[in-house]
Amino acid sequence: METRHFLKVEDMSRDEIVALIADARANRGERSVALHGKCLGMIFSKPSTRTRASFTAGAYQLGGDVMFVSEGEMQLGRGETVEDTARVLSSYLDGVVIRTYLQENLERFAAAASIPVINGLTDDHHPCQALADLMTISEYHDDLAGVKVVYLGDGNNVAVSLMDICAVVGAHVVICTPEELALPQWATDNAARLAAASGARVEVTTDPEAAASGADFLYTDVWFSMGQAEQPAKRARLEPYRIDEELLALTDPDCRVMHCLPAHRDEEISAEVMDGPRSIVFRQAENRLHAQKELLKRLMG
Ligand code: CP
């Protein structure tokens, strides 16, 4: 049987994503032996709270085991190739989650591996976050094809995967960033291709007020991703993109606010909104666990 990987959202079809989310909702809190006798490796070259803890807890709740190692502690850091590492680890483990910088390195690892490889975040994509995001959206809005999701702020990997998953399932997604922080052309071209197949509406804009109008969900992420230096000019440029009460007032009363976390209160999101009644960020964080357990069952079970 062919080894399946999850390196970006489109590695799963619309039907597979919708079924995974339905199962994640139905099986919330599941304890089982679906991964009994199996070991999930996790290779991280960047810090993590949610991804590391939710995969660890999820594997244990399914009766599996986990081996965590930071990339710097491996021979990868001393020049062993990605391919050699992938071949060796494939003979010990039953699946691996990788958090690294270059998507290309993740794809090289997957090409050489004979076990499922899961993207735990790269510079270009964060597909596991997108699964939890869509699961959370589905809990508040039945009709995924009728939902309007607006991402505001820095055009980054979280925005790419959110855009992709909305495009795959046929939602209306708006990516709203300053012009110089817009998503790269390859990302918007790819989302347009996915949208053409699903009937989704993908929009890119620089106007936060127009974007927020009619939104069912406003979504943001930190303005400085891991490893990025603080830049005062970038911070000033992003000020109009903060989700605060003023922006939220332009939406319908049932519009919800999402954030993949970690959050910087009063930077990309005001403390009032982050901790207010329309924030669903902690539900969204919890859903990382439920969505990823279904992913592990599908790839490793
Ligand atoms: N959202 C997210 O991926 O969180 P961590 O960086 O803590 O894993």
Side-chain angles (χ1 to χ4, degrees):
M1 206 168 65
E2 192 187 338
T3 303
R4 283 202 72 179
H5 306 298
F6 189 53
L7 309 182
K8 43 191 189 295
V9 164
E10 69 207 69
D11 288 339
M12 274 198 277
S13 69
R14 179 193 178 281
D15 288 352
E16 287 174 324
I17 288 172
V18 168
L20 183 150
I21 284 164
D23 287 349
R25 290 180 60 180
N27 297 331
R28 201 179 190 89
E30 173 190 0
R31 299 286 198 280
S32 75
V33 292
L35 297 189
H36 177 70
K38 304 207 169 176
C39 186
L40 174 67
M42 291 201 287
I43 304 171
F44 280 41
S45 53
K46 294 178 173 184
S48 168
T49 297
R50 279 144 289 271
T51 306
R52 177 178 178 174
S54 56
F55 269 113
T56 303
Y60 285 141
Q61 289 177 17
L62 297 173
D65 228 317
V66 171
M67 182 205 78
F68 179 87
V69 61
S70 61
E71 191 179 310
E73 294 167 330
M74 300 179 72
Q75 301 290 8
L76 273 170
R78 295 180 56 239
E80 183 165 22
T81 68
V82 168
E83 287 79 8
D84 289 353
T85 307
R87 285 184 65 180
V88 172
L89 292 185
S90 293
S91 65
Y92 306 150
L93 301 169
D94 301 285
V96 63
V97 181
I98 298 179
R99 171 168 284 202
T100 190
Y101 294 90
L102 296 179
Q103 179 77 14
E104 182 197 337
N105 284 347
L106 178 80
E107 292 184 1
R108 280 176 52 202
F109 191 107
S114 55
I115 55 173
V117 177
I118 296 171
N119 183 347
L121 181 143
T122 62
D123 291 344
D124 294 344
H125 297 275
H126 199 359
C128 294
Q129 180 66 54
L131 288 178
D133 295 342
L134 193 69
M135 177 183 171
T136 310
I137 288 167
S138 79
E139 291 177 320
Y140 291 88
H141 204 287
D142 286 339
D143 175 21
L144 288 178
V147 75
K148 179 178 177 183
V149 181
V150 177
Y151 175 93
L152 297 132
D154 186 29
N156 64 13
N157 47 7
V158 169
V160 170
S161 291
L162 179 72
M163 177 173 68
D164 285 352
I165 208 159
C166 288
V168 168
V169 301
H172 178 188
V173 60
V174 182
I175 304 297
C176 182
T177 70
E179 200 168 347
E180 63 274 32
L181 299 172
L183 291 180
Q185 192 69 42
W186 63 259
T188 46
D189 285 351
N190 191 50
R193 184 181 57 79
L194 297 171
S198 69
R201 193 166 151 202
V202 177
E203 285 184 89
V204 174
T205 179
T206 56
D207 182 344
E209 295 185 2
S213 170
D216 297 300
F217 297 90
L218 295 184
Y219 191 126
T220 192
D221 189 11
V222 290
W223 289 346
F224 300 95
S225 296
M226 278 177 283
Q228 286 183 349
E230 296 267 331
Q231 302 158 34
K234 181 178 178 185
R235 185 189 304 283
R237 196 67 189 87
L238 282 163
E239 286 283 327
Y241 296 82
R242 174 181 301 118
I243 301 182
D244 56 16
E245 288 292 349
E246 210 176 318
L247 193 69
L248 204 50
L250 301 175
T251 67
D252 293 335
D254 56 358
C255 174
R256 308 284 178 164
V257 175
M258 303 178 72
H259 193 308
C260 58
L261 304 181
H264 290 165
R265 285 173 175 78
D266 295 330
E267 198 164 276
E268 73 278 1
I269 186 168
S270 70
E272 199 180 7
V273 170
M274 170 82 185
D275 300 310
R278 290 160 80 178
S279 167
I280 54 172
V281 303
F282 294 107
R283 180 78 175 187
Q284 184 185 355
E286 181 192 327
N287 284 342
R288 294 290 305 273
L289 171 68
H290 307 304
Q292 287 160 196
K293 281 166 74 178
E294 292 306 318
L295 181 66
L296 291 177
K297 284 195 283 182
R298 279 159 171 76
L299 296 186
M300 285 173 61

